[in-house]
Amino acid sequence: GEEGSGDNGENGDGEEGSGDNGENGDGEEDSDKKDEAEELNDDEEETGEVIVGDFTVSGGEQGTDYKFEGNTLIIIGSAPLVIKNTAETGFTTNNIHIGDDEHTEVTANVTLAGVRIQNTATNDSPFNIMGTDKTCYLTLAEGSVNTLNASKLFSAALHCGKNSTVVIDGSGTLNAYGGSSCSGIGSGFNEIAGKLVFNGGTINAHAFRYETT
């Protein structure tokens, strides 16, 4: 009569599965996981950092100021946001959009603090100011090196088309490598660029740097 004597213990001698909801353990493991999840949530609340895709975002509110869909971090609000790659080294194929079809008039305030994007999974610009009537105030964080590489794509590294504006400032570095027939910063193929304002930062922009290997 000892087998299965735990509350929900189908397979065991009474000790296994003796936790209140423990079919395959004593419930302590579930409790530990819950504690770890709560600690992670507490850390996010303390630091204000949220991991979305391959990026870590500080500031704003997910769902209101930004969202992540597929492989793309989409900025949809005006709250100041700090974005960096979660991994300290290497590149991501995730990319960043300013606005989308639902959010056609966006004024974004973005700081890049170590963003490295290369040859995006969506085959468009690593940093894409979508459509028209968008403005992006882009700050390069002090000491940061940010690289936008579209060298195997047919797109600009930082796309800003007609009737949109990008204002770049800060003291960090931005490397921008455009793809075939495209600029490093500005327009894509057969397109008129928007308004480009450079107020600060070290900027290395290379147009039409298409690579096949």
Side-chain angles (χ1 to χ4, degrees), residues 185-208:
I185 301 173
S187 62
F189 176 72
N190 197 26
E191 182 188 24
I192 298 173
K195 185 177 181 180
L196 314 177
V197 180
F198 302 95
N199 288 335
T202 299
I203 300 172
N204 304 305
H206 304 263
F208 204 159

Side-chain angles (χ1 to χ4, degrees), residues 127-177:
F127 194 105
N128 198 342
I129 300 174
M130 302 290 290
T132 60
D133 301 319
K134 312 286 193 311
T135 298
C136 181
Y137 293 96
L138 187 64
T139 302
L140 307 175
E142 182 179 359
S144 70
V145 176
N146 306 278
T147 301
L148 307 174
N149 187 352
S151 60
K152 292 185 180 180
L153 306 173
F154 290 86
S155 59
L158 193 166
H159 174 254
C160 180
K162 185 179 179 180
N163 296 327
S164 283
T165 301
V166 61
V167 180
I168 301 178
D169 207 340
S171 58
T173 297
L174 174 62
N175 302 311
Y177 303 102

Side-chain angles (χ1 to χ4, degrees), residues 6-18:
D7 292 343
N8 290 301
E10 296 179 2
N11 298 301
D13 59 2
E15 295 184 359
E16 294 185 5
S18 60

Side-chain angles (χ1 to χ4, degrees), residues 23-57:
E23 293 183 1
N24 294 301
D26 58 7
E28 293 182 2
E29 184 176 347
D30 289 340
S31 177
D32 291 342
K33 289 181 179 179
K34 182 178 178 182
D35 291 343
E36 290 175 5
E38 289 176 350
E39 288 177 5
L40 288 173
N41 289 334
D42 290 342
D43 289 341
E44 285 187 358
E45 290 177 2
E46 290 177 4
T47 64
E49 294 185 341
V50 178
I51 295 175
V52 287
D54 292 337
F55 301 114
T56 297
V57 180

